[in-house]
Amino acid sequence: MLFRSVKNVKLLLTHLKSTDFDLYCAVLLAASLGARRSEILALQWGDLDKTTGSIDLTSGLIRVPGVDHVVLTNTKTGEGVIESPLEPRVVRDLKEMHDRRLTSTKNAFVCKKERFMFPYDVLGKIPFHPDSFTKKLRDSQVGVTGLRTPITWKDLRAFAATELARRENGI
């Protein structure tokens, strides 16, 4: 499918890097790890190990019909991944996002271990509603030159799986 091509994902990443660095980092995680939207939303700063260059994907943040707030749960499969290795550039960009947050708020508490990496609020206490995060990704792609079809979180997950399968050593 065209929208999952390396070229299109690169177009999106290049655009987001200059317009919305936090969303860029979320998309980078989805495209490189195949992380689900719910897993990205549940990430807290304590899940990132900058020393080993790995991240723990152990939770998901979901919307439950009839409940007026998002719910933190296990991952969709119930089998979280501990110490999933990250590419060096992903670690570098997550560190930059961390530093930008600290600089912009001048508050060391916004990046405490239990604060969300991709929050709705500046302090990292309020998570994004999953549907709002999807809308944020969709809206960010309006007017991106060369991108004909919007890329979704699910597309990024499929892209990551496809790219892993294409590697010489397989998955």
Side-chain angles (χ1 to χ4, degrees), residues 43-112:
L43 283 172
Q44 297 176 342
W45 285 110
D47 295 325
L48 175 65
D49 187 334
K50 293 181 260 184
T51 307
T52 63
S54 64
I55 200 160
D56 298 338
L57 296 171
T58 58
S59 302
L61 203 61
I62 61 169
R63 180 183 62 84
V64 177
V67 177
D68 63 349
H69 61 280
V70 291
V71 176
L72 191 63
T73 184
N74 292 331
T75 60
K76 188 173 182 178
T77 61
E79 301 174 13
V81 179
I82 305 292
E83 296 183 6
S84 183
L86 298 170
E87 296 175 37
R89 77 177 176 126
V90 176
V91 175
R92 184 182 64 245
D93 289 340
L94 290 173
K95 284 181 184 178
E96 183 177 337
M97 182 177 75
H98 180 272
D99 293 344
R100 284 180 179 203
R101 278 246 188 96
L102 289 177
T103 302
S104 69
T105 61
K106 298 184 180 12
N107 179 349
F109 295 109
V110 301
C111 294
K112 287 174 73 173

Side-chain angles (χ1 to χ4, degrees), residues 37 41 61-64 70 128-139 153:
R37 173 188 67 178
L41 288 174
L61 203 61
I62 61 169
R63 180 183 62 84
V64 177
V70 291
F128 255 103
H129 186 285
D131 294 342
S132 297
F133 206 53
T134 294
K135 183 178 181 334
K136 183 178 174 86
L137 177 61
R138 186 181 60 241
D139 292 349
W153 292 109

Side-chain angles (χ1 to χ4, degrees), residues 21 63 126 155:
F21 196 79
R63 180 183 62 84
I126 302 171
D155 293 336

Side-chain angles (χ1 to χ4, degrees), residues 4 34 38 46 50 53 59-60 72 90 97 100 148 157 163-164 167:
R4 293 184 190 149
S38 63
K50 293 181 260 184
S59 302
L72 191 63
V90 176
M97 182 177 75
R100 284 180 179 203
R148 290 189 233 163
R157 183 169 167 75
E163 289 305 303
L164 277 173
R167 294 184 180 186

